[in-house]
Amino acid sequence: QSIQWYPGHMAKTKRKIEQDLKLVDAVAELVDARVPVSSRNPLLATLIENKPRIILLNKSDMADAAETARWIAAYKQEGAWALAVDCKSGKGVNGFVPLVREALKDRIAQWEAKGMAGRAIRIMVVGIPNVGKSSLINKLTRGGKAEVEDRPGVTRQNRWFRVGKGMDLLDTPGVLWPKFEDPIAGERLAFTGAVRDDILDVEWLAMRLLELLAAEYPQVLRQRYKFEELPQPLEGAALLELVGRKRGMLVSGGEVDTLRAATMLLDEFRAGKLGRITLEKAGR
Ligand code: G4P
């Protein structure tokens, strides 16, 4: 992603979201199930205010299923609706329309009482870059992209898509900025590949990820990289060295090619090859 966020850009996006919110009945927010905190836009909750919020924990195929279930329970407790999805394969996506109907059942009952039973539900899809918005819209419209023209708020930028019966989706190119001002969040987003890592040190990033994995998912290191024992203390440089050694990534003289090992580790994590991992736990 090559989006550069600067203050003027953020203010403009915020205004656009405020305008677009007036056009919809509810907001569907995509988050990355592996990092549900860091992948949320810091301002969005305050902008949405009174509209029902449906949180889609996407990329759940790569997240720890037990942790995803805990997140869903936590969101429900704070009054949002939540669903685990995998917008790449489409798993879970057919739960979206029924969940939206449930979230809006009082509104729908009001419309019916007013003789507006045919009124389409209008939903706005938001999320930080790379979280899977295009994939979701693609699955919901079955790749058909049934565009709707006769809707308020249709502009060159805003596009509406018909999703099944009686539901229209607002696809707004106004993507949200991530929580990058928080260094921990920035780091976790970089692990997932959601922010560009050409400005970050790949070896440092891999070492930080290994420290997290050694503490929370040691079995992953045992299985994927055949660690017999974890080096003590659990320190990034030693962990990275061991990963490289186990994979035979040596340079002449028998030293480990740590850059190559780091790049491989990050690629494998981003592709979900290390197993199902959640780096941010509900309630912690
Ligand atoms: P965006 O519109 O929010 O920017 O995201 P987009 O749908 O383009 O998805 C970004 C990347 O994440 C894509 O991978 C997409 O395939 C992948 N993705 C989206 N949802 C899921 C999911 O639930 N699980 C997994 N495993 N991946 C998901 P890409 O590498 O850019 O493209 P490609 O691999 O599809 O070719």
Side-chain angles (χ1 to χ4, degrees):
Q1 290 283 338
S2 56
I3 299 162
Q4 295 286 340
W5 292 100
Y6 50 90
H9 193 172
M10 283 157 72
K12 205 171 146 202
T13 300
K14 178 171 173 275
R15 278 198 302 278
K16 181 162 187 321
I17 289 167
E18 282 166 338
Q19 282 166 6
D20 289 344
L21 274 169
K22 295 184 187 138
L23 304 172
V24 298
D25 303 307
V27 177
E29 182 187 1
L30 278 149
V31 302
D32 186 322
R34 296 167 297 173
V35 283
V37 179
S38 297
S39 59
R40 294 187 80 174
N41 170 272
L43 257 187
L44 191 65
T46 59
L47 293 180
I48 294 177
E49 284 181 351
N50 302 322
K51 307 251 169 176
R53 222 158 23 120
I54 295 113
I55 296 170
L56 299 174
L57 287 140
N58 191 35
K59 309 200 181 185
S60 60
D61 54 309
M62 297 195 279
D64 187 329
E67 295 299 335
T68 301
R70 275 185 209 115
W71 274 110
I72 290 176
Y75 291 133
K76 283 185 181 162
Q77 245 183 345
E78 54 177 73
W81 281 262
L83 180 70
V85 289
D86 164 2
C87 293
K88 193 160 182 166
S89 75
K91 197 164 170 245
V93 173
N94 57 12
F96 178 71
V97 171
L99 189 66
V100 170
R101 293 195 161 279
E102 198 200 314
L104 285 167
K105 66 173 185 296
D106 295 345
R107 291 299 300 277
I108 294 169
Q110 279 172 4
W111 295 337
E112 278 167 4
K114 288 186 197 158
M116 294 162 59
R119 156 89 152 76
I121 297 170
R122 294 167 190 158
I123 308 289
M124 178 173 160
V125 178
V126 293
I128 65 168
N130 253 320
V131 76
K133 291 182 304 295
S134 314
S135 306
L136 173 73
I137 291 171
N138 210 40
K139 287 291 174 202
L140 285 170
T141 58
R142 295 187 181 83
K145 295 255 169 182
E147 214 163 324
V148 185
E149 301 293 348
D150 60 338
R151 283 282 170 276
V154 172
T155 63
R156 209 149 40 83
Q157 291 177 340
N158 276 351
R159 303 197 305 165
W160 288 97
F161 293 103
R162 173 67 34 108
V163 178
K165 263 209 310 248
M167 194 173 298
D168 292 344
L169 220 62
L170 179 60
D171 178 21
T172 143
V175 289
L176 296 176
W177 62 94
K179 270 190 187 165
F180 51 0
E181 76 288 1
D182 168 356
I184 295 289
E187 187 179 293
R188 289 176 182 165
L189 290 169
F191 293 155
T192 69
V195 296
R196 297 180 314 153
D197 64 7
D198 51 354
I199 43 165
L200 295 162
D201 186 291
V202 172
E203 286 168 86
W204 176 81
L205 207 55
M207 290 192 275
R208 294 284 294 154
L209 178 58
L210 281 167
E211 284 171 7
L212 260 175
L213 292 175
E216 305 265 345
Y217 292 93
Q219 74 280 13
V220 162
L221 299 179
R222 291 200 191 94
Q223 280 161 15
R224 185 80 194 171
Y225 300 114
K226 309 283 180 276
F227 280 30
E228 285 107 37
E229 270 173 71
L230 294 177
Q232 293 297 338
L234 295 174
E235 193 262 316
L239 292 162
L240 184 59
E241 167 101 17
L242 194 53
V243 166
R245 206 162 280 289
K246 290 286 182 185
R247 284 291 168 98
M249 293 179 163
L250 305 178
V251 285
S252 57
E255 269 180 48
V256 172
D257 185 342
T258 45
L259 179 59
R260 212 176 129 213
T263 307
M264 176 212 58
L265 176 88
L266 290 169
D267 284 349
E268 294 202 346
F269 176 74
R270 288 169 189 168
K273 286 185 188 157
L274 299 188
R276 302 181 61 164
I277 293 165
T278 298
L279 297 175
E280 292 172 340
K281 317 277 163 94
R284 274 205 260 155

